Amino acid sequence: QVQLVESGGGLVQPGGSLRLSCIASGRSASIDDMGWYRQAPGKQRELVATITRGGRTNYVDSVKGRFTISRDSATNTVYLQMNSLKPEDTAVYYCNAKRTPLYGPRYNYWGQGTQVTVSS
């Protein structure tokens, strides 16, 4: 199995920055793609950013130019650097990892979530 543990959330003022970290353990070598999701109160959970083994990234339009996802395969860690934070970025952020083997079942792993609050 794969376990994901997020950290780095907190309270920041608008325009501030935070860096989220997610450390994968267990069968982390089997992970293919990783990403970050977020869910604000009363809103649908949405995909924020993804990154492949090769470093290809994608972002939801609302965070392009402000957020950067990165990955360190040696330490099995994925990061989300969040700059120019806005109140609408307030949400619980979840780390996600996917296994897509040639044979056998696919797996979708989730972290416990870390709270990000942007407020003055």
Side-chain angles (χ1 to χ4, degrees):
Q1 297 293 333
V2 173
Q3 295 80 43
L4 304 174
V5 179
E6 304 105 325
S7 62
L11 174 64
V12 297
Q13 296 187 9
S17 298
L18 283 174
R19 189 182 72 163
L20 306 183
S21 299
C22 174
I23 302 175
S25 61
R27 296 183 178 178
S28 55
S30 66
I31 295 173
D32 294 303
D33 298 339
M34 300 188 74
W36 291 92
Y37 289 72
R38 68 185 181 186
Q39 186 167 23
K43 294 187 177 181
Q44 189 177 60
R45 185 175 63 184
E46 67 172 347
L47 178 64
V48 178
T50 60
I51 185 167
T52 68
R53 282 181 177 266
R56 183 178 180 181
T57 60
N58 287 287
Y59 302 90
V60 67
D61 287 344
S62 60
V63 308
K64 288 181 178 178
R66 299 189 298 119
F67 291 11
T68 302
I69 188 171
S70 60
R71 186 174 184 175
D72 187 343
S73 297
T75 59
N76 301 310
T77 305
V78 64
Y79 304 94
L80 185 67
Q81 179 67 47
M82 305 185 294
N83 299 324
S84 302
L85 283 162
K86 304 175 181 180
E88 49 263 46
D89 295 318
T90 296
V92 177
Y93 284 71
Y94 297 92
C95 182
N96 172 256
K98 295 180 179 178
R99 289 184 60 203
T100 56
L102 181 61
Y103 300 105
R106 295 183 174 184
Y107 291 92
N108 204 20
Y109 302 100
W110 296 92
Q112 82 288 350
T114 184
Q115 177 71 49
V116 172
T117 302
V118 185
S119 176
S120 58

